[in-house]
Amino acid sequence: EDQVTQSPEALRLQEGESSSLNCSYTVSGLRGLFWYRQDPGKGPEFLFTLYSAGEEKEKERLKATLTKKESFLHITAPKPEDSATYLCAVPPNSGNTGKLIFGQGTTLQVKP
Amino acid sequence: DAGITQSPRYKITETGRQVTLMCHQTWSHSYMFWYRQDLGHGLRLIYYSAAADITDKGEVPDGYVVSRSKTENFPLTLESATRSQTSVYFCASSQGSDTQYFGPGTRLTVL
């Protein structure tokens, strides 16, 4: 069964304390892994797409990496404004339907 | 403004009433999606559409109806609302197996 699992469910960091969020997936023939940020009361906002193992993408304090079985979202020297829920998603194996399978998300809280 | 919009943003209704949530996108994306988001369940796909007049069920379609007569619009109807349909509903659009872009959401409460 196609599945996306994110860990941890919640993460509390002090401002400046770097850490990583994990997204593991079981789909074969990966056709992209998507990272989103969701602020309370808002829709998910697209961050990155990764397509192949070894690929990395960066945006400000965020860096996403991809292996054959998982992706990491590294947060370097986070600030309180980085507090949000981070979601990852992959297309399922079942053909080109446009659908995405989302993980449950990691809720990050960065304290000043 | 260009993008994807949803209306209403907030809705309170009563059990048994019909409710329609609207979604409009200006990108001419082929694909459109409806999700519900609940604590403990994450984002769950209700229905999706690959093009005008082509719709298909997602993970949790029971109690919902969709239509797509125009590429830019994808309304979601709850024919007889139930308390279990209290949720936050998100519409999204994409161009094929590409990035999905989400609307701001509709918070629906069924009393």
Side-chain angles (χ1 to χ4, degrees), chain B residues 4 16-17 20 25 36 50 61-63 72 77-78 83 87 91 99-100 103-104 111:
Chain B
I4 185 164
R17 289 192 180 261
T20 296
Q25 53 103 356
R36 61 178 291 174
D62 293 343
E72 62 266 30
T77 298
L78 289 66
R83 289 194 182 89
S87 186
C91 178
T99 305
Q100 288 186 17
L111 302 177

Side-chain angles (χ1 to χ4, degrees), chain B residues 38-53:
Chain B
D38 306 285
L39 280 174
H41 290 281
L43 281 165
R44 291 185 290 175
L45 183 65
I46 304 171
Y47 269 96
Y48 67 104
S49 168
D53 298 321

Side-chain angles (χ1 to χ4, degrees), chain B:
Chain B
D1 287 339
I4 185 164
T5 57
Q6 293 183 237
S7 61
R9 294 294 315 281
Y10 302 92
K11 177 73 176 179
I12 299 174
T13 191
E14 295 178 337
T15 301
R17 289 192 180 261
Q18 183 178 84
V19 177
T20 296
L21 309 184
M22 304 300 293
C23 178
H24 175 78
Q25 53 103 356
T26 60
W27 293 305
S28 298
H29 282 167
S30 298
Y31 288 82
M32 295 188 75
F33 308 85
W34 274 107
Y35 294 90
R36 61 178 291 174
Q37 189 174 43
D38 306 285
L39 280 174
H41 290 281
L43 281 165
R44 291 185 290 175
L45 183 65
I46 304 171
Y47 269 96
Y48 67 104
S49 168
D53 298 321
I54 300 175
T55 62
D56 206 349
K57 296 178 180 179
E59 183 184 352
V60 288
D62 293 343
Y64 302 94
V65 175
V66 293
S67 62
R68 195 168 175 206
S69 58
K70 292 184 178 182
T71 299
E72 62 266 30
N73 296 324
F74 191 37
L76 176 74
T77 298
L78 289 66
E79 292 191 305
S80 179
T82 65
R83 289 194 182 89
S84 65
Q85 292 177 310
T86 292
S87 186
V88 181
Y89 291 85
F90 290 102
C91 178
S93 71
S94 74
Q95 193 58 36
S97 289
D98 206 338
T99 305
Q100 288 186 17
Y101 294 93
F102 284 80
T106 294
R107 184 174 294 274
L108 176 68
T109 301
V110 183
L111 302 177

Side-chain angles (χ1 to χ4, degrees), chain A residues 38-56:
Chain A
Q38 185 175 22
D39 293 300
K42 296 188 176 182
E45 176 187 350
F46 169 70
L47 290 173
F48 307 108
T49 309
L50 302 167
Y51 288 102
S52 56
E55 188 175 359
E56 298 182 351

